[in-house]
Amino acid sequence: MGGVTLQYETKQKVMKRVALTFYGMVLMVLAVALPAEAMAQYTYKFRDTLGTYEVRFTPASKSSRFTYSRTKPLLPHTHEIRLGTSFGGTTWDNCVAHGFDISYHGDSLDRPIDYGPTHHYTLSLDYGYWVNEWLSVGASVTYMAGLRNIFDDYTKERMMTLHEDDLSIMPIVRMAWYRRGIVQLYSSIGVGIGLNIWSRYYDGREIMHEIYCAFDLKPLGIAVGRRCFGFVEVGYGSRGLINAGFGVRINNKVR
């Protein structure tokens, strides 16, 4: 009888250990499987003349489909605004403006003159809407100004400033063919209308203008960042041989 009782007690201990091990494993699985946010609840009670009210708050889960993916730089349906400057924008005759000097074509002046260097300054403002993760449609407004000073050859005083203004508006399509982390590689193309204004410099009084077909082709562009990002583009057209700047992305669904 003593041997039977001892064997029974040993069996009870084994079963108890098995049960404790099983319950411990269940608790560990639940702790790993359930998000911490789902177990964190806060209860508040409010009381007025009508009674007592109990309100429970559960913190929002961070794993939302509206949050940014760590493997992709942006979400679909994202609005994008870019501000950039460029080198090598084209004029109405599709020639690169940089490297071409603005000259005086008016009546001869009453004194010898000396030309300063020609400088071009370009500013572009882009808007884009990402239909999905790889396709964006939008528009670009680009302004390019060319300036050149004329000096008195004797006194070296500035006599006048020659200038040329160029404004182009283009719809632009971007296609992102590489998307990883905060890096995006893409190509873009735009076709629109441009307006070139300059003076023939008959004492600066006669203004000329040309309306032309503006275009821009960027085979390679890189953007680095998510909400705020920097970008560099290489190609040819109204937005320059090299276009660089920064931008911001807006998505109302991002928590």
Side-chain angles (χ1 to χ4, degrees), residues 80-95:
E80 185 177 88
I81 299 175
R82 299 182 177 213
L83 183 65
T85 184
S86 63
F87 167 80
T90 60
T91 59
W92 64 274
D93 54 358
N94 294 326
C95 292

Side-chain angles (χ1 to χ4, degrees), residues 86-90 95-98 122 144 235-242:
S86 63
F87 167 80
T90 60
C95 292
V96 179
H98 294 267
T122 306
M144 181 173 63
Y236 186 81
S238 298
R239 295 166 66 248
L241 300 175
I242 300 175

Side-chain angles (χ1 to χ4, degrees), residues 101-122:
D101 287 329
I102 303 174
S103 300
Y104 180 79
H105 298 291
D107 295 332
S108 59
L109 299 175
D110 58 356
R111 69 190 79 176
I113 61 174
D114 184 26
Y115 283 104
T118 300
H119 299 284
H120 287 88
Y121 305 94
T122 306

Side-chain angles (χ1 to χ4, degrees), residues 50-165:
L50 298 177
T52 302
Y53 308 92
E54 185 176 282
V55 181
R56 293 183 180 179
F57 294 92
T58 302
S61 173
K62 295 181 180 179
S63 57
S64 170
R65 67 186 182 92
F66 295 140
T67 56
Y68 279 109
S69 169
R70 293 183 178 181
T71 61
K72 296 177 182 178
L74 56 80
L75 289 171
H77 312 299
T78 294
H79 303 271
E80 185 177 88
I81 299 175
R82 299 182 177 213
L83 183 65
T85 184
S86 63
F87 167 80
T90 60
T91 59
W92 64 274
D93 54 358
N94 294 326
C95 292
V96 179
H98 294 267
F100 287 87
D101 287 329
I102 303 174
S103 300
Y104 180 79
H105 298 291
D107 295 332
S108 59
L109 299 175
D110 58 356
R111 69 190 79 176
I113 61 174
D114 184 26
Y115 283 104
T118 300
H119 299 284
H120 287 88
Y121 305 94
T122 306
L123 186 67
S124 62
L125 179 64
D126 296 5
Y127 166 78
Y129 175 74
W130 289 92
V131 180
N132 49 46
E133 294 171 351
W134 62 270
L135 178 63
S136 169
V137 293
S140 174
V141 178
T142 303
Y143 171 71
M144 181 173 63
L147 304 173
R148 191 181 192 186
N149 292 323
I150 293 182
F151 301 92
D152 187 302
D153 193 34
Y154 295 130
T155 65
K156 304 303 179 183
E157 294 182 356
R158 184 171 64 87
M159 299 173 57
M160 68 171 63
T161 299
L162 311 181
H163 61 89
E164 183 176 353
D165 302 294

Side-chain angles (χ1 to χ4, degrees), residues 5 37 84 122 131 162-163 187 216 226 231:
T5 303
E37 291 88 348
T122 306
V131 180
L162 311 181
H163 61 89
S187 302
D216 189 79
R226 286 196 173 95
F231 67 91

